[in-house]
Amino acid sequence: MTRIDKNPGGSAVTVRGLVKHYGETKALDGVDLEVREGTVMGVLGPNGAGKTTLVRILSTLLAPDAGQAVVAGYDVVRQPRQLRRVMGLTGQYASVDEKLPGWENLYLIGRLLDLSRKEARARADELLERFSLTEAAKRPARTYSGGMRRRLDLAASMIGWPVVLYLDEPTTGLDPRTRNEVWEEVKRMVGDGVTVLLTTQYMEEAEQLASELTVVDRGKVIANGGIEELKAKVGGRTLRIRPADPAQLRPLAAALDDLGITGLATTTVDTDRGAVLVPILSDEQLTAVLGAVTERGITLAAVTTELPSLDEVFLSLTGHRASAPQDAVPADDLQEVAV
């Protein structure tokens, strides 16, 4: 098969009508997806939504039942070998050989990707330094901390200079400091021109990394667009009202509760910042809130409006908040793609 020509600055990933069944379970039900070159597409969804199944198909580990997917100019079904040479994958769990030292893991992957011995050695050295693993290069991977293993996984996925990189829940189980380190590495990869498809249930991670978001639920795409665009589509704003006198916080909150306004959440008191947060869905509600404040003679120091948080967007779209990262099907873990 010959490689399909790409559009410079166009789409790195194009998915049309992707379907996958596991017995009676429809993991993917006509998924459409477009990822622009050199960007991060965040794929959000509750457990069992089909995120990992989507990654498996796009990385040639699983064949779809219907539909088409083209990645980096290659059809995932008809041209899997060509695609594997220009993509990288980091799954939810460490997939390197824990018995081998970090350096040998990277060297072996380089050789499997047909790098010469010299190129594989140089690439292993380069990536160990880039991911701050040089001092641990000769230690077995099983002696690495969780953060070090995740960085080794990322390094392994970068051996072949991938055009497209799949990150499936890349920071699951990591502490906040290590998570931030992984985020910085991902940003650096994108800065180098890599296109990233990221599945995550960490809303903060999506906001930190993604240029655009696709929300899936029960195997279907239920929303997509930029983060601010999705927040606007969901509707609603949060008023942050700060009284001049902090003693008025509770009376102010009680007065607003009496209005019976319903938004994406209930009225809350932020005592640390001396403000009352009230969700509204319309300009009429904004007018009612300010009228209630005026009627009670409460002097205000500041009033600001905020769009819903990404977590509130997720709640509105799926009916529940994001939960602990995992995917229901299939049960076996993602592994590195063999060439």
Side-chain angles (χ1 to χ4, degrees):
M1 294 286 184
T2 58
R3 182 171 180 174
I4 301 170
D5 289 336
K6 297 194 313 179
N7 271 330
S11 296
V13 180
T14 301
V15 176
R16 294 289 180 265
L18 217 55
V19 174
K20 183 63 183 179
H21 296 84
Y22 295 104
E24 296 299 316
T25 301
K26 187 172 282 189
L28 297 179
D29 188 9
V31 168
D32 293 336
L33 185 71
E34 199 91 27
V35 186
R36 292 180 294 111
E37 292 180 0
T39 66
V40 179
M41 168 64 78
V43 179
L44 307 180
N47 294 339
K51 302 184 302 298
T52 293
T53 297
L54 176 63
V55 171
R56 283 174 172 269
I57 291 174
L58 295 181
S59 56
T60 75
L61 293 174
L62 193 66
D65 295 326
Q68 183 186 32
V70 176
V71 178
Y74 297 113
D75 186 285
V76 299
V77 174
R78 296 186 295 111
Q79 299 168 298
R81 291 185 64 84
Q82 295 96 317
L83 173 56
R84 290 169 188 165
R85 294 181 180 276
V86 295
M87 53 150 277
L89 167 64
T90 296
Q92 296 180 22
Y93 307 97
S95 54
V96 295
D97 190 328
E98 295 192 346
K99 296 179 181 179
L100 292 179
W103 187 90
E104 289 188 25
N105 267 289
L106 300 187
Y107 175 78
L108 177 61
I109 293 170
R111 294 292 288 148
L112 288 172
L113 290 171
D114 288 338
L115 298 185
S116 68
R117 289 183 174 85
K118 182 178 179 180
E119 289 173 326
R121 283 195 294 268
R123 189 63 172 154
D125 291 339
E126 175 188 346
L127 288 170
L128 285 170
E129 182 175 357
R130 173 170 176 171
F131 286 88
S132 302
L133 292 170
T134 302
E135 292 184 5
K138 296 183 179 180
R139 284 168 40 195
R142 66 171 177 267
T143 67
Y144 288 14
S145 67
M148 293 171 68
R149 291 190 192 190
R150 179 52 74 204
R151 296 204 303 274
L152 184 61
D153 264 349
L154 284 169
S157 70
M158 295 297 293
I159 283 286
W161 295 276
V163 174
V164 175
L165 177 64
Y166 304 116
L167 300 178
D168 189 39
E169 309 283 9
T171 61
T172 298
L174 298 185
D175 62 81
R177 177 182 176 182
T178 305
R179 186 174 299 148
N180 285 331
E181 291 175 354
V182 171
W183 289 350
E184 290 306 312
E185 285 300 332
V186 174
K187 290 175 183 176
R188 184 157 59 168
M189 293 174 191
V190 175
D192 290 341
V194 178
T195 301
V196 175
L197 188 143
L198 165 77
T199 74
T200 183
Q201 287 194 47
Y202 293 129
M203 299 300 104
E204 184 184 2
E205 183 162 84
E207 293 217 54
Q208 281 281 333
L209 299 178
S211 312
E212 296 182 64
L213 297 177
T214 292
V215 183
V216 295
D217 195 15
R218 297 181 177 90
K220 292 179 177 289
V221 173
I222 59 174
N224 55 46
I227 293 175
E228 297 306 316
E229 180 185 352
L230 287 182
K231 289 180 179 181
K233 281 182 180 178
V234 166
R237 291 164 287 171
T238 297
L239 286 180
R240 181 179 293 273
I241 306 173
R242 184 161 60 87
D245 181 2
Q248 293 292 321
L249 275 175
R250 298 294 174 183
L252 174 59
L256 298 179
D257 278 336
D258 289 343
L259 293 176
I261 290 176
T262 301
L264 292 176
T266 58
T267 299
T268 57
V269 177
D270 185 348
T271 54
D272 291 338
R273 298 184 180 181
V276 174
L277 308 181
V278 55
I280 60 171
L281 295 172
S282 67
D283 291 338
E284 289 75 17
Q285 289 182 338
L286 170 60
T287 301
V289 167
L290 296 180
V293 172
T294 301
E295 287 177 8
R296 286 159 177 77
I298 298 174
T299 303
L300 301 182
V303 179
T304 58
T305 61
E306 303 169 354
L307 285 171
S309 69
L310 193 54
D311 192 57
E312 288 170 332
V313 171
F314 189 92
L315 170 64
S316 176
L317 291 171
T318 66
H320 49 81
R321 295 190 182 278
S323 53
Q326 65 181 43
D327 218 334
V329 290
D332 50 318
D333 301 338
L334 280 168
Q335 300 295 326
E336 287 292 334
V337 179
V339 178

